[in-house]
């Protein structure tokens, strides 16, 4: 009788699910890998020239008003240790840990594929999604924490570690070179493409799919200055989907990011931009759209009214005056239809246009820009003409207009090597006063490894991010 109790007395988790089938792993993938509730890098926009700050005590100022700039101050002013805020609070950067968690999870899934219960097609689909996410995760890590990609020095410049582990490990990881990391990224995205092609058919925009894989491949090639490949992959985006660009119209009562927008290829993740860029007046400091970005839109550009909310109000202190501001309006984190981030068809036009511009194919680049603008401008608007600085600058400005506040600008600035950038941290008490900060060293385009990883991994190579003090 006692021996029969053996199995009953064994310790086992009552809520542990051991995945065995492809379906089980797909569910695990959705929760652990996609994890659309995460916002991994809320700071990304505030380091760019697309934002400025504004202090404002509105028509009905509160006795205690919030300063929504404080958590992002260290990123906005390009501090050497951006996890330490203006009042010495610690705000953890979770992007490193989260992306490497995704990488570990898909390593495990890819390793377990042959043993999973399910059809070959189901396994190919899960493999495609896994390779896609691993490529995307390394791409994001490389452009946050690695040195900018330069063709001539890619085999020497340090990027981020490559993790090949298929279980939890305390192994100290060292940085690989840009050449090694991007070879890994390219290999993964090409495997994803082959898997999705084998599966065939159309997928929901809420899972990685063939058109989004081609688009990511185009982006990866563009960042490596492999312009011919960027064009070929962009061509493949158009061949793999029949969805059209979304036609903007005046007084559109829908968010640009919605199920009505059929140019969205993959919808994922969340945003907290609405926490720091608000149109209401119950604050004493926040971030708003920069004048420089607003001025890029002409009066017949429907993106100005569809992508941004214009607000006018009367400030009461420190000096009474009328105030106007723009805040982003492409999405709402409370939208019930799509997530707050997207791979969109318009990027394929812009990637192909930039690649052609860099290759000197001016007319082909302009053709792509003008086709995109057919869906963005008021009817009858004249075609876009060359910027006085040439076709490359023409494309870069259109890219900035189209992709504003979608996480592209910081990565574009660092790959262009734009210097200097300047931000003013405005005084809450003295009208017209504030501290001016400048990003003048390209080393500042590389974020420091988060404290959580530095404390754990004592062997990883560290970069010194320049100190950032107010300009005297």
């Amino acid at each position: 009788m006692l021996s029969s109790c053996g199995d009953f007395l064994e310790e086992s988790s009552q809520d542990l699910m051991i995945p065995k089938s492809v379906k089980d792993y797909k569910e695990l993938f959705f929760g652990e890998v996609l994890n659309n509730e995460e916002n991994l890098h809320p700071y990304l926009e505030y380091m760019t020239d697309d934002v400025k700050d504004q202090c404002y005590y509105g028509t009905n100022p509160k006795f205690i008003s919030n300063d929504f700039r404080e958590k992002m101050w260290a990123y906005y002013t390009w501090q050497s240790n951006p996890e330490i805020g203006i009042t010495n609070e610690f705000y953890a950067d979770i992007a490193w840990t989260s992306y490497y968690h995704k990488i570990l999870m898909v390593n495990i899934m890819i390793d377990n594929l042959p043993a999973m219960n399910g059809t070959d097609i189901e396994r190919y689909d899960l493999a495609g999604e896994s390779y896609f996410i691993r490529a995307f995760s390394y791409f994001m890590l490389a452009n946050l924490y690695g040195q900018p990609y330069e063709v001539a020095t890619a085999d020497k410049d340090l990027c981020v570690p490559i993790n090949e582990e298929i279980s939890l490990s305390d192994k100290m990881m060292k940085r690989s070179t840009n050449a090694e990391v991007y070879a890994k990224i390219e290999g993964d995205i090409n495997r994803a493409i082959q898997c999705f092609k084998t599966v065939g058919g159309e997928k929901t925009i809420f899972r990685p799919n063939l058109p989004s894989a081609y688009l990511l491949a185009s982006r990866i090639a563009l960042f490596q200055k492999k312009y011919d490949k960027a064009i070929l992959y962009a061509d493949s985006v158009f061949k793999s989907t029949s969805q059209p660009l979304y036609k903007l119209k005046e007084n559109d009562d829908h968010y640009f990011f919605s199920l009505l927008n059929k140019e969205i290829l993959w919808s994922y993740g969340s945003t907290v931009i609405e926490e720091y860029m608000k149109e209401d007046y119950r604050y004493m400091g926040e971030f708003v759209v920069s004048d420089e970005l607003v001025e890029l839109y002409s009066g017949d550009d429907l993106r100005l009214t569809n992508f941004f909310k214009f607000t006018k109000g009367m400030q009461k202190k420190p000096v009474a005056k009328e105030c106007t501001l723009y805040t982003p309006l492409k999405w709402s984190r409370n939208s019930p239809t799509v997530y707050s981030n997207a791979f969109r068809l318009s990027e394929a036009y812009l990637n192909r246009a930039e690649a052609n511009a860099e290759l000197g194919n001016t007319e082909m680049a302009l053709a792509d820009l003008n086709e995109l603008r057919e869906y963005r401008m008021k009817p009858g608007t004249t075609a876009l003409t060359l910027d006085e600085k040439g076709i490359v600058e023409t494309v870069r400005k259109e890219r900035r207009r189209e992709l504003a506040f979608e996480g592209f600008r910081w990565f574009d600035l660092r790959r262009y090597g734009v210097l200097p950038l300047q931000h003013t941290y405005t005084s809450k008490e003295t009208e017209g006063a504030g501290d001016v900060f400048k990003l003048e060293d390209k080393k500042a385009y590389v974020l420091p490894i988060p404290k959580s990883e530095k404390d754990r991994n004592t062997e990883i190579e560290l970069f010194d991010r320049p100190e950032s003090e107010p300009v005297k």
Side-chain angles (χ1 to χ4, degrees), residues 191-209:
R191 291 186 187 96
I193 288 169
Q194 292 307 313
C195 288
F196 289 140
K197 287 173 69 176
T198 301
V199 172
E202 292 190 3
K203 293 183 64 177
T204 171
I205 64 170
F206 302 111
R207 306 289 296 218
N209 50 57

Side-chain angles (χ1 to χ4, degrees), residues 164-177:
E164 305 282 10
E165 298 296 314
I166 55 173
S167 63
L168 291 175
S169 170
D170 291 329
K171 179 181 178 181
M172 302 292 180
M173 297 188 297
K174 291 193 172 185
R175 293 178 187 262
S176 298
T177 64

Side-chain angles (χ1 to χ4, degrees), residues 22 112-130 195 199:
V22 177
N112 280 281
L113 271 170
M116 293 180 195
N117 298 327
T119 66
D120 286 343
I121 290 298
E122 288 174 329
R123 280 191 283 269
Y124 273 117
D125 190 43
L126 177 58
E129 292 185 354
S130 298
C195 288
V199 172

Side-chain angles (χ1 to χ4, degrees), residues 37 74 90 181 400 420:
E37 297 302 314
F90 181 79
V181 173
R400 187 178 179 189

Side-chain angles (χ1 to χ4, degrees), residues 227-272:
Y227 299 123
D228 288 331
K229 281 191 173 182
I231 292 169
L232 287 173
Y233 284 127
D235 289 343
S236 296
V237 175
F238 300 120
K239 293 175 183 176
S240 63
T241 180
S242 59
Q243 301 295 0
L245 287 167
Y246 183 76
K247 180 72 172 177
L248 292 182
K249 54 183 178 289
E250 295 187 69
N251 304 315
D252 197 333
D253 56 356
H254 297 285
Y255 285 107
F256 183 66
F257 280 22
S258 75
L259 283 177
L260 293 176
N261 187 345
K262 300 304 181 183
E263 71 178 72
I264 293 177
L265 305 177
W266 179 44
S267 174
Y268 68 100
S270 63
T271 181
V272 291

